[in-house]
Amino acid sequence: NLGIPHGGMLATLADTAIGMMMSLETGRSKSAVTVNLSLDYLDSARQGDWVEARVEFDKLGSRLRYGTCRLVSGERCLLRATSRRR
């Protein structure tokens, strides 16, 4: 145990946050499938940190949707994820 969350767990959190917010934003009950997910790990979360997902959309088309999620803890950006879904 290194006292930090595994990068795969943070990736899952970001991908899930993007998908949930896309469904809410578009009003579509059927989830879009991730076809590409790019990650940049910028800092480590530490044990006891509150991690927040902040999602923005670049495009919400009828066939393709693009979004970005930043996982932050306070002022620190831990991870930036960009996703393309169909």
Side-chain angles (χ1 to χ4, degrees):
N1 179 0
L2 300 174
I4 60 173
H6 188 276
M9 191 275 308
L10 294 176
T12 299
L13 175 60
D15 191 36
T16 301
I18 292 170
M20 290 176 64
M21 292 306 296
M22 277 187 182
S23 292
L24 288 172
E25 186 74 19
T26 61
R28 298 177 186 167
S29 59
K30 184 178 176 186
S31 297
V33 177
T34 303
V35 296
N36 181 273
L37 182 67
S38 296
L39 304 165
D40 294 306
Y41 294 94
L42 305 172
D43 201 348
S44 296
R46 297 175 191 95
Q47 197 166 12
D49 280 354
W50 178 265
V51 177
E52 180 180 332
R54 298 181 183 168
V55 177
E56 296 177 0
F57 301 113
D58 301 303
K59 180 180 179 179
L60 293 174
S62 59
R63 293 180 47 116
L64 288 175
R65 303 171 211 167
Y66 298 85
T68 301
C69 177
R70 284 181 168 73
L71 297 183
V72 299
S73 180
E75 296 297 316
R76 295 181 304 122
C77 184
L78 310 175
L79 176 140
R80 180 182 57 225
T82 56
S83 175
R84 183 175 71 220
R85 294 170 176 253
R86 63 177 166 115

